[in-house]
Amino acid sequence: MIGSVMMRVSVVLLLIGMVAGMAMGIQQNFTLAPAHAHLNLVGGVLLFLFGLYYRLVPAAGNSTLARIQGSLHILGGLVLPAGIALTLLNNGAYFAAPAIGSAIVVVATLLFAVVLFRTERT
Ligand code: HEM
């Protein structure tokens, strides 16, 4: 089920984000701090919470919309921090990358809202 996939991916992303945070601290170079923050929060925390909801509420987690939502959130959770890092490392160039990443995350969150409202109403 998509909830389990989301939770498993989220802990992997969280571990990568934490190791990246340690690397920033060791090198005393905080250029990529916003990428680290978004990887941990969108790819780690939010992805885990949404996945947990799907696990706890199978009526929501077994829906096709939940599968689309979860897949989209995983994609956005990767593209957004990667895009932020790309822009930060290139003096603001490649701005389309974080813009696309954030659009994916917004659409995914909108879909989550639809799943949530639908499920909680029934
Ligand atoms: C092993 C765990 C972690 C380490 C070693 C770590 C390390 C760091 C470092 C070195 C910074 C930059 C601080 C500065 O700019 O002065 C930072 C910023 C930040 N971290 Fe972490 N972090 C960890 C886990 C997390 C987690 C789990 C989250 C969120 C769920 C998180 C969210 C943030 C945020 C929001 C910022 C501020 C980003 C910004 O100023 O643009 N971090 N972290």
Side-chain angles (χ1 to χ4, degrees):
M1 93 120 74
I2 190 68
S4 304
V5 175
M6 290 164 75
M7 289 196 297
R8 275 181 276 171
V9 172
S10 78
V11 287
V12 173
L13 295 185
L14 199 58
L15 282 170
I16 295 171
M18 285 176 167
V19 172
M22 288 175 71
M24 282 195 305
I26 291 166
Q27 293 171 0
Q28 288 294 292
N29 181 348
F30 306 118
T31 310
L32 293 179
H36 155 85
H38 285 81
L39 181 63
N40 283 342
L41 290 168
V42 178
V45 178
L46 273 189
L47 188 61
F48 186 87
L49 283 177
F50 291 172
L52 186 64
Y53 179 75
Y54 292 152
R55 279 296 300 275
L56 294 178
V57 186
N62 290 327
S63 69
T64 305
L65 199 56
R67 277 197 289 278
I68 296 170
Q69 192 281 325
S71 310
L72 214 54
H73 192 117
I74 290 171
L75 181 68
L78 290 167
V79 175
L80 179 58
I84 292 171
L86 191 68
T87 297
L88 289 173
L89 293 173
N90 290 283
N91 295 317
Y94 307 112
F95 188 72
I100 291 168
S102 53
I104 295 172
V105 172
V106 169
V107 172
T109 306
L110 198 68
L111 290 184
F112 183 74
V114 173
V115 175
L116 183 77
F117 277 77
R118 267 190 193 169
T119 317
E120 295 303 313
R121 204 178 43 211
T122 52

